[in-house]
Amino acid sequence: IVYENEYVCAFKDLNPIAPVHVLVIPKIHIQDLEHVNEDNIKYVAKVQEAFKEVAKITGVNESGYRVICNCGEDGGQEVKHLHYHLIGGKKLGTKIVND
């Protein structure tokens, strides 16, 4: 676990695509972005706040990082629980290319 509080848990991805690759997830089940609503938005806001802390802990807060959230099958979501990928530790470029 890289970072945790009562709303959020962040941990290293098992299959990292960069030197820093951390998953940041809310501690309640939200299937995807389409299921964010007024009852759970507080958890999503806490995830947003956690990005800064995770970036500091992993040392990419000054050099920069990317945050990705896949939504639905065509969006590449494999795990049906809302989660974000914080990626950094190398120059990522401006585009995401799908092979």
Side-chain angles (χ1 to χ4, degrees), residues 4-11 23-33 36 40-48 50-51 69 80-84:
E4 185 173 22
N5 65 28
E6 64 183 293
Y7 301 99
V8 174
C9 185
F11 51 90
L23 298 178
V24 184
I25 66 169
K27 285 191 171 180
I28 63 166
H29 179 68
I30 304 170
Q31 181 171 315
D32 57 29
L33 288 172
V36 174
N40 59 32
I41 191 68
K42 181 176 185 174
Y43 284 83
V44 177
K46 294 297 184 180
V47 167
Q48 295 289 316
F51 294 145
C69 181
K80 302 302 183 206
H81 184 94
L82 181 64
H83 63 283
Y84 299 78

Side-chain angles (χ1 to χ4, degrees), residues 3-84:
Y3 174 80
E4 185 173 22
N5 65 28
E6 64 183 293
Y7 301 99
V8 174
C9 185
F11 51 90
K12 293 180 181 180
D13 193 291
L14 291 176
N15 299 301
I17 62 169
V20 173
H21 188 164
V22 177
L23 298 178
V24 184
I25 66 169
K27 285 191 171 180
I28 63 166
H29 179 68
I30 304 170
Q31 181 171 315
D32 57 29
L33 288 172
E34 290 296 312
H35 290 85
V36 174
N37 58 44
E38 64 183 35
D39 295 330
N40 59 32
I41 191 68
K42 181 176 185 174
Y43 284 83
V44 177
K46 294 297 184 180
V47 167
Q48 295 289 316
E49 291 174 357
F51 294 145
K52 287 175 60 175
E53 294 302 318
V54 171
K56 285 179 193 173
I57 291 165
T58 58
V60 297
N61 58 311
E62 292 187 16
S63 60
Y65 54 95
R66 178 175 291 155
V67 175
I68 299 171
C69 181
N70 301 327
C71 183
E73 186 176 333
D74 285 355
Q77 184 179 9
E78 294 177 347
V79 176
K80 302 302 183 206
H81 184 94
L82 181 64
H83 63 283
Y84 299 78

